[in-house]
Amino acid sequence: MGNLDTNSLFLLVAILAPLVAGTVLLFGARFSQTTIRAVAAFGFGWPLIIGLLLYSLFEPSLVGEYNFELRLPTGLESIGIYLHLGLNGISMPLFLLAGTVGLAAGLYAMYSNADRPHLYLALLLFMLGGLMGTFASVDVFFFYFFHEFALIPTFLMIGMWGGAGRRGAAIEMTVYLTLGALLSLLGLIALYVQSGADSFSLVELRNYLSAQPLSETVQNNIFALLLFGFGILVSLFPFHSWAPKGYAVAPTGAAMLHAGVLKKFGLYGLLQIAGPLLPAGGEHWFSWIVWLALGNILFIGLVTMAQKDLKMMLGYSSVMHMGYAFLGLACFSVVGAGGALLLMVAHGLSVALLFMLSTCIYHRSQTFDLSAMGGLASRAPVLAACFVAGSMASIGLPGFGNFWGEFTIFAALAETELTRWIVVPAAIGIIISAIYGLRAVANIFFGQPKGDFADRLESGQITDLQGFEKLPAGILIAGLVLIGIFPRIFSDDANRELVEMYPQEQSNLPVIHSAVLPTQVDAHKEVTH
């Protein structure tokens, strides 16, 4: 275990900064607008700053271990629970994703017109603190705890600032997410009990289970709990209906953080915990993962095409693209898992961008109805350019991070007879994405404006993106382009870890080493921050 040092404390500060700022704002009803924004900027800014600093200090030689480890007592040591923090090649990209989307969502929220802004920003900061803790946790108990902590503000924000229909959407979200959380908790507890480990630490669990793997039956049962528990939290088909409705009514900041980051919790759990520790269970449930993932891609893709409401379309689109990440995980190989990780990060950036821009569009058009818009590009060219960039990234256009995630997943699927047949139906999803994405762009920004929208355009009421909208959009687009040009800023470190986590003998699928995600143990990062 690494020694306690300044860098380890920085990791703790990245979690505490938004929590402290949020606590201050809870009692800030009488603060001036300037003070509220200053406190919020502190809470939203530090996680990303620290994330970039820790990325630049990340030591790639610690394969199978964690950088910046910090282990603090909790009073629950007798049952093996410590506040154990650290980052490895899998968690670092998602830690940075949380910081990036958190800053973008915070910057936009600071200038929103929400009533009780101190409370709105406080809840968003609590959500961010929970997200930073989720991906920094080495202890499985705190991994789960921080996720649940981040969920609470989500429900509160939907209830207080959500749109029409928020009550029904909040109830459905609560039912589904509670069920998913319960199943995943049972799976994690069962894993701890059956392993015989002395703590919930992922390091110790791996050491115990590598020495004495669980029986195939036990692995199958625990993997099922984790697959369906985490799957519900990720909106795996057919447990997906809560997500589009929830995102449609959620305030923008909450939608950005939940769809962009919090929903990656389940995929991350399958990638970091279930897949490596329960390989026999993964093989047993392989067919289920594939067919349910194709349900996300094809069935939900067709449902997405049928949407006429912009925000509902984006909600279903977000659910659809999770299917590709599940296909990558189903390969149980280095390239498949690495592609899923890249797609998780890129998808988080692109969906957060599109949800933010959909609200920008609404403020100018006063509607989410795609058929009621048209010609917006003439008055808001920067908004049009940003939305086109987000849509092209979501489709998987080369030059954006989503492309490398999807391309690598297809490469992994094509390498073996067992998964090669999946390539064709999965590729149909790309065509579906292009249809609804390009249609949305055409309906909103081009063609002839209609009805009241045409009157608003002619009267000059509609303006382009303002500074507080351009900055978060620019941050998210920059992240997508950076990963699109230099995917190895994440893939090199991830590959070193994945080679240890997914050895060939663990799976009936081969470990794949390709030019897309090269595994070079001694390679240096091409880009540092």
Side-chain angles (χ1 to χ4, degrees), residues 9 121 242 247 319 322 354-355 361 446 455 520 529:
L9 292 176
L121 292 170
W242 63 268
Y247 298 148
V319 173
M322 290 295 92
L354 288 172
F355 272 121
I361 291 169
F446 303 101
D455 296 336
Q520 300 177 2
H529 298 287

Side-chain angles (χ1 to χ4, degrees), residues 491-520:
S491 66
D492 277 354
D493 291 336
N495 275 356
R496 297 184 187 96
E497 203 68 40
L498 290 168
V499 167
E500 295 292 318
M501 294 166 63
Y502 292 91
Q504 184 171 357
E505 62 269 16
Q506 281 195 348
S507 176
N508 58 351
L509 304 178
V511 171
I512 306 165
H513 303 286
S514 80
V516 179
L517 289 174
T519 303
Q520 300 177 2

Side-chain angles (χ1 to χ4, degrees), residues 223 226 269-280 282 332 501-502 506:
F223 193 93
L226 295 179
L270 293 171
L271 176 61
Q272 184 91 284
I273 301 172
L277 301 185
L278 304 166
F332 295 103
M501 294 166 63
Y502 292 91
Q506 281 195 348

Side-chain angles (χ1 to χ4, degrees), residues 21-74:
T23 302
V24 171
L25 288 180
L26 275 182
F27 304 96
R30 297 186 179 182
F31 289 176
S32 68
Q33 189 177 68
T34 302
T35 302
I36 291 174
R37 289 175 179 171
V39 174
F42 171 86
F44 288 118
W46 271 110
L48 180 57
I49 293 171
I50 291 174
L52 294 173
L53 173 64
L54 294 181
Y55 175 82
S56 70
L57 299 172
F58 190 85
E59 179 49 63
S61 64
L62 295 177
V63 178
E65 302 179 41
Y66 283 80
N67 280 252
F68 322 118
E69 278 194 81
L70 176 65
R71 187 170 179 171
L72 299 175
T74 61

